[in-house]
Amino acid sequence: MANESTLEHDIYLFHEGNLRYSYRLLGAHPDVQDGVEGIRFAVWAPNAVQVSVVGIFNEWDGRQNPMEKVNDNGIWMAFIPNLEKGTIYKYEILTAHGHLRLKADPYAFSSELRPDTASVVYPLDNYTWNDDEWMKERKAQNIYESPVSIYELHLGSWKYIEPEVYYNYREYADMVIPYVKDLGYTHIELLPIMEHPFDRSWGYQTTGYFGVTSRYGSPDDFKYFVDQCHQHGLGVILDWVPGHFCKDEHGLRRFDGEALYEYQNPSKAEKTQWGTLTFDFGRSEVHSFLISNAIYWLKEYHLDGLRVDAVASMLYLDFGKNEGEWELNEYGGRENIEAVSFIKKMNEAVFEEVPDTLMMAEESTSWPLVSSPTYIGGLGFNYKWNMGWMNDMLKYMETDPIHRKYNHNLITFSLFYAFSENFVLPISHDEVVHGKKSLLNKMPGDYWQKFANLRAFLGYMYAHPGKKLLFMGGEFGQFDEWKDLEDLDWELLEYDSHAATKNYMKELHQLYLDSAPLWELDHKEEGFSWIDAQNYDQSIVSFARNSRTSNDQLIVVCNFTPQVYHDYKVGVPKHGSYKEIFSSDAERFGGSGQVNGGPLGTIPEPWQGQDQHITMTIPPLGVSFLKRTSVSKEENHEK
């Protein structure tokens, strides 16, 4: 146990809202007192009259192991000898109203398998990591100028043994990693694996913020999963939900008989849209809880980043609420000023503790400077999901190609703001569930056109500035939308069109990884330049992606109609000869084979604002990537 002065200092910092490792103070920890081994328990419950530790070891009798209130601000502690790893326990809390409540430990590192809800003692120091090389390389990497392509998955519905019976984290590592690595992704993003009572919340309604869900194994099993990802060159990002928590009786709701983790004011506490409760972002102990939680996942599990869920719901008091269900802030606005302050404080703390991490905001509004540092007025994240691009592009792709010319702005508008934030282009689970249809099935047209549209969309996505994210199943064109109680339709890979789509994603990733123009200047305006954004009548756009090397440039031409065009003129920035290095219409991908096989020499006549142009075949519903392969005589002479 920490010495008395250290303990007092930690308690002081906890109540001040600045204890960044509060999970070391609170919760259940192996300890030795007076030469006897046991478990030290500590919990924050300022409104409780009495708190006891109960479990099988004392027949759930709260009279056996009462806790001592060690300060006026409500931290209770107890040391129970001869308990060890695996002990099942809860806190029995006597409220000021005379009611007894059984609560899971808010700081528990492990829990019973649902539907049981007790906490489980689990030390954090049992696992030996073997990812030193990855962690060193991560510190040296400039992630902003590196390729980032994220495979988002929900473990339980990626593949299972049978309904509601899942593989272990270690078994998932052996299955997921080779598959994702073969496809060429750089990162995996997991839907929340924090402990949650209801499978169909997908982890977004949490009860155990510090606990790895026991559905798939133990904390050490999950560490193995992350460790193996790192050893095989894959980063791991975890969805994290600091905005709200569920109301299950054993969880945080009215933890000690009063509103503690949630706001006391119901208009601020209630998330009526989701039936959950908002954290009290004005309470300093809640700051210590949530900031410690973010740091915990990044430090203890070596995670490479957190995708922070539903940031807009934290920023705005009226989010998801009807008139009369919310109150203006002290300045007469709808912003949650306490939440804004908390978010900035959280990001500052995280980047001080883990500078080489990713903090990605799922933020769906026009709030400015989300991914900018706090010292210039930003929220302090380093990435933001580009929800505007996602909505515009899906709306455009769902439109019949005949009518796309009337919606041309949907594919060009994103470039007006593409460099205002550090963006991730997300096609997430939220877009392929609840009747929205799968990504493939959103596409109009006949069977062939659906796959061609999908390839064109993904080709444009990987050519567009911003890091990439695609939800599982999209990589092989799953026909059905995400079925969260079933696993993916892996049998579709026995069919040519789906196998070819998976192969397309693999080769598209290889192109992406090998092409610095597609990622090196992702967040700078000089990384992108339009060639032709105005050809709405034919639904064709062309542009250049640039890298820091002036001669390293890709020309991208996208056709969003089924029409083939021969001898189509495309302006190009430089003289020389161009080669089509990748086409979504290649026959091996299921395309029609309208490719450009030979060299495309420049013609010295101005076109589309360029001094010269090439003529090429434009494939139907296709994306072509061109690269200059030889320089002009003038450039050779200059050298």
Side-chain angles (χ1 to χ4, degrees):
M1 185 175 177
N3 63 52
E4 190 170 336
S5 62
T6 300
L7 179 63
E8 288 180 359
H9 184 62
D10 284 352
I11 290 174
Y12 171 79
L13 290 177
F14 173 73
H15 292 303
E16 191 184 52
N18 292 318
L19 185 60
R20 296 177 177 179
Y21 294 86
S22 62
Y23 61 89
R24 296 174 182 171
L25 168 69
L26 297 159
H29 301 271
D31 201 359
V32 178
Q33 294 191 17
D34 298 327
V36 179
E37 294 184 354
I39 303 297
R40 171 177 54 85
F41 297 90
V43 65
W44 175 55
N47 301 298
V49 174
Q50 179 59 56
V51 183
S52 299
V53 185
V54 296
I56 297 172
F57 60 89
N58 63 12
E59 298 181 328
W60 302 95
D61 184 352
R63 296 169 297 181
Q64 300 297 314
N65 298 104
M67 304 180 78
E68 179 186 355
K69 193 174 184 180
V70 298
N71 72 344
D72 293 337
N73 291 318
I75 289 183
W76 302 74
M77 288 187 171
F79 174 78
I80 304 179
N82 303 317
L83 297 185
E84 55 189 18
K85 174 182 174 181
T87 296
I88 294 171
Y89 71 100
K90 280 188 176 181
Y91 294 119
E92 182 186 88
I93 297 173
L94 177 61
T95 74
H97 305 287
H99 301 131
L100 281 178
R101 293 174 175 265
L102 279 179
K103 290 288 190 176
D105 187 348
Y107 284 85
F109 302 141
S110 185
S111 302
E112 288 185 294
L113 179 63
R114 53 94 177 93
D116 294 326
T117 58
S119 302
V120 179
V121 173
Y122 202 102
L124 288 178
D125 55 0
N126 288 343
Y127 187 83
T128 302
W129 289 90
N130 295 289
D131 63 348
D132 288 353
E133 184 177 349
W134 169 271
M135 299 300 280
K136 288 177 184 176
E137 290 177 357
R138 195 181 86 179
K139 287 181 180 178
Q141 182 186 32
N142 180 350
I143 196 69
Y144 307 103
E145 298 183 3
S146 301
V148 175
S149 181
I150 304 165
Y151 185 75
E152 185 194 40
L153 78 151
H154 175 254
L155 280 177
S157 58
W158 188 79
K159 190 174 286 187
Y160 59 34
I161 298 171
E162 59 184 73
E164 299 185 22
V165 181
Y166 306 112
Y167 293 100
N168 181 277
Y169 291 111
R170 295 173 186 262
E171 295 171 310
Y172 278 121
D174 295 340
M175 293 184 289
V176 170
I177 293 171
Y179 179 82
V180 175
K181 188 67 178 173
D182 179 65
L183 280 166
Y185 286 93
T186 64
H187 291 73
I188 289 171
E189 181 174 318
L190 296 169
L191 272 61
I193 53 84
M194 298 80 174
E195 195 57 78
H196 53 283
F198 183 45
D199 287 9
R200 303 206 73 180
S201 80
W202 315 328
Y204 290 100
Q205 295 194 8
T206 303
T207 48
Y209 271 79
F210 288 84
V212 172
T213 179
S214 52
R215 287 167 177 80
Y216 315 124
S218 71
D220 285 351
D221 294 333
F222 182 58
K223 288 179 179 180
Y224 175 89
F225 179 92
V226 177
D227 199 359
Q228 287 296 308
C229 284
H230 287 172
Q231 290 181 51
H232 290 85
L234 282 173
V236 183
I237 300 164
L238 183 60
D239 279 11
W240 183 57
V241 190
H244 62 116
F245 57 89
C246 59
K247 296 181 177 180
D248 291 63
E249 187 60 31
H250 68 283
L252 298 178
R253 176 179 176 268
R254 300 188 71 84
F255 183 77
D256 59 2
E258 307 295 337
L260 189 64
Y261 287 89
E262 70 270 35
Y263 283 109
Q264 289 189 359
N265 182 345
S267 73
K268 294 179 76 172
E270 293 288 340
K271 280 278 194 294
T272 51
Q273 184 178 13
W274 298 321
T276 55
L277 292 169
T278 305
F279 279 103
D280 183 348
F281 298 115
R283 190 152 197 167
S284 54
E285 292 89 351
V286 172
H287 286 201
S288 288
F289 176 81
L290 287 172
I291 292 171
S292 293
N293 191 240
I295 292 169
Y296 164 82
W297 289 108
L298 295 166
K299 284 277 199 176
E300 301 295 339
Y301 289 92
H302 289 205
L303 291 169
D304 301 283
L306 299 174
R307 175 269 200 184
V308 183
D309 181 63
V311 172
S313 78
M314 302 167 68
L315 294 174
Y316 296 100
L317 295 166
D318 63 341
F319 182 90
K321 294 184 177 181
N322 300 314
E323 189 174 345
E325 293 179 343
W326 63 283
E327 300 171 9
L328 295 170
N329 65 33
E330 60 197 274
Y331 302 107
R334 63 192 186 98
E335 299 81 10
N336 187 333
I337 295 167
E338 296 163 341
V340 174
S341 177
F342 163 76
I343 289 170
K344 292 179 178 182
K345 177 181 176 181
M346 170 193 72
N347 282 322
E348 288 170 355
V350 165
F351 284 110
E352 285 177 14
E353 299 293 333
V354 197
D356 52 331
T357 198
L358 296 168
M359 289 295 284
M360 297 179 165
E362 190 238 347
E363 204 285 312
S364 55
T365 75
S366 57
W367 190 284
L369 302 176
V370 171
S371 59
S372 294
T374 58
Y375 60 78
I376 62 169
L379 288 182
F381 295 96
N382 57 357
Y383 275 96
K384 174 181 175 175
W385 276 24
N386 193 336
M387 310 296 279
W389 173 89
M390 177 273 296
N391 283 310
D392 285 351
M393 280 306 301
L394 291 183
K395 182 178 179 181
Y396 181 82
M397 295 307 301
E398 289 180 271
T399 302
D400 189 299
I402 294 174
H403 304 298
R404 283 177 178 166
K405 63 183 178 181
Y406 305 114
N407 297 275
H408 193 72
N409 64 300
L410 293 175
I411 55 171
T412 60
F413 180 68
S414 59
L415 273 305
F416 283 104
Y417 62 86
F419 309 104
S420 63
E421 302 274 5
N422 298 330
F423 279 123
V424 175
L425 308 182
I427 302 298
S428 74
H429 63 281
D430 278 330
E431 312 318 318
V432 293
V433 73
H434 297 326
K436 294 181 182 178
K437 299 190 286 190
S438 72
L439 191 56
L440 177 65
N441 224 5
K442 292 178 190 289
M443 304 299 162
D446 59 23
Y447 185 82
W448 185 89
Q449 289 179 345
K450 281 182 177 293
F451 282 95
N453 270 302
L454 178 60
R455 292 193 303 273
F457 167 68
L458 292 169
Y460 182 65
M461 174 182 177
Y462 274 74
H464 190 288
K467 309 310 182 187
K468 326 299 177 188
L469 179 142
L470 184 65
F471 185 56
M472 64 183 194
E475 76 278 7
F476 61 80
Q478 174 140 326
F479 254 117
D480 289 343
E481 68 175 18
W482 177 37
K483 304 181 289 286
D484 58 342
L485 295 181
E486 302 177 29
D487 55 7
L488 295 181
D489 295 331
W490 295 107
E491 64 277 6
L492 290 177
L493 288 171
E494 299 173 13
Y495 297 88
D496 290 345
S497 295
H498 297 276
T501 300
K502 180 188 171 191
N503 186 46
Y504 172 71
M505 281 305 298
K506 181 176 178 178
E507 292 197 33
L508 182 61
H509 268 126
Q510 195 60 56
L511 171 73
Y512 175 67
L513 296 173
D514 292 343
S515 304
L518 295 179
W519 40 261
E520 192 174 58
L521 297 176
D522 249 342
H523 311 305
K524 298 183 182 297
E525 290 188 17
E526 56 265 35
F528 178 94
S529 53
W530 282 115
I531 294 173
D532 182 16
Q534 305 301 324
N535 189 356
Y536 63 87
D537 195 53
Q538 294 172 303
S539 298
I540 295 175
V541 293
S542 54
F543 52 88
R545 292 300 311 274
N546 311 308
S547 73
R548 294 196 181 282
T549 305
S550 61
N551 284 326
D552 191 14
Q553 183 183 64
L554 289 181
I555 306 300
V556 184
V557 185
C558 308
N559 176 17
F560 291 104
T561 73
Q563 181 67 44
V564 181
Y565 297 96
H566 298 288
D567 299 321
Y568 185 92
K569 294 167 69 172
V570 177
V572 291
K574 296 182 179 180
H575 293 279
S577 182
Y578 287 78
K579 179 183 179 182
E580 184 178 72
I581 61 171
F582 188 86
S583 171
S584 69
D585 195 49
E587 290 183 357
R588 68 184 182 279
F589 302 141
S592 64
Q594 296 291 329
V595 299
N596 295 272
L600 304 170
T602 56
I603 299 168
E605 295 175 0
W607 189 252
Q608 295 173 336
Q610 311 299 321
D611 291 336
Q612 56 281 313
H613 68 271
I614 58 173
T615 62
M616 62 179 291
T617 295
I618 304 292
L621 296 171
V623 176
S624 300
F625 291 79
L626 311 175
K627 188 169 186 176
R628 194 169 65 140
T629 55
S630 66
V631 299
S632 65
K633 292 180 181 179
E634 290 83 358
E635 285 178 291
N636 271 326
H637 180 70
E638 289 171 4
K639 291 179 180 179

